[in-house]
Structure formats: C-alpha cells, structure tokens
Amino acid sequence: MRIAPVHWVGSHIAAGAVLQGLAGRLHAERDRWALWLPPFIGTGIGLYFLLPMEPPLWMGLALVVAGIALSIAARRYVAGSLVAIALTAASIGFLAAQIRTAMVATPMLAEEIGPVKVIGTVVAVEALPSGQRVLLEDVVIEGIAPEATPVRVRIRIVKRDAVVVPGERIDLLAELAPPSLPVTPYSFDFQRAAYFRGIGAQGFAYGGPRLVEDPEATMSYLASLSAGIEALRLRVAQRIRAVLPDADGGVAVALMTGSQTAIPREAVDAMRAVGLAHLLSVSGLHIGLVTGILLLAVRAGLALIPSIALRYPIKKWAAGIAFVGAFFYLLITGMGVPTQRSFLMAGLVLFAVMIDRTALSMRLVAWAAGVILLLQPETLTSPSFQLSFAAVVALIAAYETSLAWRLRQRSRSSWLARLPFHLLGVAVTSLVAEAATTAFALYHFSQLTLFGLVANLVAVPVTAVWIMPWAVVAYALMPFHIEVLALVPMGWGIDIVLATARIVASWPASVSYLPAMPLWGAVLVAIGGLWLTLWRRSWRWWGAAPIAAGFISIAFVTPPHVLVSGDARLVAVADENGEYVFSQERANRFEADIWMHRAGQEERQAWPDDGYGADGRLLCDALGCVYRAENYVVAIAWQAGALIEDCAIADLVISLDPARDLCRGGEAGEPIVIDRFDLWRNGGYAIWLEPDEIRSLSVAETRGIRPWVADFVRRQPRPVRE
C-alpha cells in the first residue's frame, strides 16, 4: 500500500478545515442569505448589458429553466442549493433585462434632420434657465414613416413667452437628432438611457409651438392620468417660481417637483462640489422626511382631540395618511429611482405599523432593490441607483452595528445630554454615506469631495428641520392660494444651504478630480461593500480587501494621448504631464469637461493657432497640427489639403475633413488614418500611443450592436487601415 506524502495529507486536512470553517460561518449567517438575491439578480442584468450583441430571448428562458432544474436537483445539498439559487437569480435578472428591452422597442432616429414639422402630444414640460423643454408622445414627423417614428421626442423651446401645457397637441418646426452618444469610450451612454425612457430623438424648435386641433388623436386613460400629473407638476413649479425667483426657486422646485432644470448652473456646481447634490435629487431623505412629518403632525393633531385619541387607533390612521402623502410626493416628483426605492421601503414600514408588525430594515432595502431591478433592469447602470442604494445599505449596516450603543444613549432623559448624540449622528450619517458613494462618484464623475462632511453638517439639519416641513405646509396651502406663507420661510432655509455650498466650495481644493475608476474596479468595490454590509459576523471585514483593490485600480488607468469628438469639432492631446490641451477654447464645453474630469484634470487650456504648444509636443499652422509623443508623429489636419504633406511624415493621421482614400493605399509604412467618415460612423475616438503600437478605440466599438444603438452607429464600422 502506497502511503501519501505527509505534506499532501497536511494540505488536504488544512483545505478541509478551511472549507468547514467557511461552511460554519455561512450557516451562522443563514438569516441573511435572502439579502443576496438582489445582488445576484443585478449580476445577471449587468452581464446582459455587457454583451456586444443582443442575445435571443430563448437564451434567457433557457438559463432560467436550467437554473430551476439545477435547484431542484441540488435541493438535498445546502452548498449546491445555494449555488443553484444564485445562478437562478442571475438568470432571472438576465431574462428580465431582455424582456424589458423588448417591451420598450423604441425606434431611434438614424441621423440629423430638419428643419422638419413635428406634431405630438405634450406629456411633460421642464422649465429651463432660458426657455423650456417639452416631451412629446404620439409623434408625427414629416418625412418619417410611422414604424420608424420614435415613441417620444424631446424638444427644447427657446421662446420665453411660449405657453405649453401637458395634454395639449402641438405643432413645431424643429431640428432633430438622435439622442447623444457617449462622449468617449466607456463613458455614460446617454442614448441607452434615452432608449429606456422611450425617447428616440431630441432637438430644438424654431420659434414657438402652435396648438393643433386633432379630432382623431385620443389619449388612453393612463396617458391622460400621466398628463394630468405632469400638468399639476408644472403648475406647482410655476407657483413656486412666482414667489421664489432665481436659485431659491430652482431649488424649491427641485425639492417639491423633482425637476432640477431650473436651477442655475452656478448653484448646481457649488452643491456638487461640496457633496450636497443629494439634497437636490429627491431620494430617501426627502421621502423619509415627508412621511415622518405627516405621521407626527397627524398623530399629534388627533391626540389633541380626546374623543378620538381615546377610542381609535390614531397611530394607524396617521400611518395611512402618511402613506397617501408619500404616494402623492412620489407622483409629483417624477418617480425617480431613489424615490421609488424610498417609497417602497416607507410604504412597507407604514404597512407594518398598521398591522402591528416590526419591519426589518435591511430586508426592506433588499425587497425594494429586487422590485426595481425586475421592473426596470436598466436602472442598475444608472448613477442614481448605484449612489442611492450604496448609501442606504451602508447606513443601515452602520445603524445595525451601533444599535446597542444608540439605545444606551437614547436612555438619557435630558435633552441637553442627548444633543451631542444627535449632532454626532448627523456627522456619522454624512461620513458613512459619503464613504459608501465615493467609489461610484469616481467611476461616473471622477470627482472626490474633500469637505462634504462640513457642508452636510450644516445643510442636512437645515433641510430636515426647516426646509422640508415648510415644503409640506406649502403643499397644504396651495389649494387656498396662500402658499407664499410657507414658501418665503422655506426660501430662507434654502439661502442658508446655498450660502454654505458657495462658501465651502470656495475653499482651496474643495473638490478634486482623479482618473475615472475602471469598471472592474467599481465591481470590486461593489462586491466588497456588499460583503461588508450584508453579513453581520467578523468575516464581513474580508470585504475590505476587494474595496481596497477597487480603489487601487485607479492607479492602473492610462488616459488616452489623443481624443477626438464624434462631430470632428474638438481634439485634445496630452502634454508631457498628461494634461490635455484642446483645439478650441470654448467649443463642446460639456464634452471637454467630461474628457478632463475622466483624466483627473480640472482646468481647460487651448493649444495655439500657430506655433508650439503642449510643452513643445505640438506644432500648428493654418492647415493643421503635428503632435509628437512616445516616438510617434500624429498629424491633425483641419483641411484635406494638409494630407499631402502629413501622409508622408505621420504614423497616425486625423483628418477632420473626409479623406476618402488619401493615405489609404494599403502599402506597408503608410499611416493609420481616422477621417470625418470614421467619426461619423463610429463616434468619438480615444487613442493611446503605446511602445509597440498605436491603439485606437471608438465609441461604436464599446457599444456593440444593441437595440438602443442608432442606425448610423449600428452600421458595420469601417476599420481604420494601417
């Protein structure tokens, strides 16, 4: 008989002990297993959106059936059952995303058209600092077949005195284009977000709208109800702006209707710079405050009437009224993802109050996340979903961990003794929420806020104690047309918040930009964060390792050396310090800001029209520029006439005019060429000058062939010849 080596036996025993230890830890946390279902559903959704081509519907169905069969087969084995259930949940998420995409099926406008006549029914109106933006449904576009007409079209009306009411059918002369592409590979996909909102085109109107009498146009009951809610939102916003103009009114409109479009850019930038943007986006804080204010106010009011308080369950009555008020707030603020999540959680808590039950907070979050992911799978990729749930899950985990200590502090009877405890609570809440959302802010916005805690210590209590109670009172007074009594003091609180934002934003280094975190880094942080917050025992701290690895991933990011916009209006090249210099100082401001911030750059600088720039790497004249870096020569030609010389000296030629077959003979030694046609077909380009090769990546290459990709990008991209 052969005796196994001692080291092999020892390793086998050690591995068995490790597995046994893991099994014991997992079994001890069995009451938390259900919390992992939404993350696995999200995993399936994420895999669906990462695919380069649209999978057939039978694939998702087959995966779900296979997962269910595997679960049944492994039902006698705990470990096997858990794996099978996780795979089934991921398959359900994958199938849910497929079904949602098929149900939306929004035709996307293939290319820019106009001026063209557009007729549609107004379903939403948003006030802008200059003019307004309307969302049209049941659209007719001159020259576009009905089957190719987008379900919804969003148009900006610059005419200030134009009066548009939801539910009306209007006629516009407009310039239309497909929804915007990502401004750089792997950045936020505006076109995909528009697709899932049913928006297949956007543009601007020439002049004002004209009311259309169309006896054949009819609205369904749901469409009429939606138009009525939008009309109410518009009236509320108009009455707020009549009392509170400028930034105060814009913030009040955001808090009471969910629309941030009327807030001046300066105020929004200041709020974002100090980590107060969450106050502008209606979320859990606002739903919780509205619900709590109504619950306390109604219960206190009924308690003052002995004949009612002594005979009836006024707490349950107050919970019911608070639920109705929260539902009204959900509708009038536009039903954003954070608002939906908060309403679902608040609704379950209030229902538990009415049936004398206690709700479990983390289970509430899991329940809300599961419902939202199954009904709207596309929200997984949105910043609002990720930031909202990251903050809430982290806060609940922190509250669970500190429960015993908080109960001891609350036992103190003196109000003065409890005051430091409440102030500490605000500080810890802000700190935990900011820490939980930092990675996702870096992934989406490349932004790191340094003094957010200071700003939140002032702004959050003012919002909770002063601004939101007056907002609830303003709602109650609006039917009597005396809302001014509540809006004016509400404006005082908003002044304090805005002043705090501006003061803190003016401090040196109040906001910093880092290179955008890569997707794999954000995924690692998400996995580590879930491990840290969903488990309760000591092994939860293992989650710190993937979180740290996710943040370290930023160090492995290499920003492109050259960036070219899809409309050929803007080019940026990196100087020797990695800072971008731009071909124009003011063009494509939105796009340039995203390029800079994703590279960790704060200030925009333009290269010279003539002479040297980019620390001597760039030489320009009237026909174009030559950029030398990493032993490569890149020619940027403004006009096709420059190509004769550029093709002879350059390794890469970027022609902002159509170059056709110039420099494209296919012979060895000829340069790589990216011209206007490539940009039109493939969107913007990012280019890396690596030691062994010039590597280019277009927007089209990162998006694949999916239903939300407009036809002009869906066409087979023309390869860039070497």
Side-chain angles (χ1 to χ4, degrees), residues 84-150:
I85 291 172
L87 293 174
T88 303
S91 301
I92 291 172
F94 189 94
L95 179 61
Q98 284 187 288
I99 294 174
R100 170 68 173 162
T101 301
M103 290 177 63
V104 173
T106 303
M108 306 291 285
L109 197 66
E111 57 188 353
E112 295 183 11
I113 59 173
V116 65
K117 184 178 180 180
V118 181
I119 299 174
T121 302
V122 179
V123 295
V125 181
E126 294 179 300
L128 301 174
S130 59
Q132 54 194 325
R133 188 166 58 199
V134 299
L135 185 63
L136 302 180
E137 206 171 71
D138 190 18
V139 180
V140 177
I141 302 175
E142 184 181 18
I144 302 293
E147 63 273 12
T149 301

Side-chain angles (χ1 to χ4, degrees), residues 612-630:
Y612 285 94
D615 294 335
R617 292 185 170 199
L618 194 69
L619 177 61
C620 297
D621 59 25
L623 295 179
C625 298
V626 175
Y627 174 66
R628 289 180 169 85
E630 310 299 331

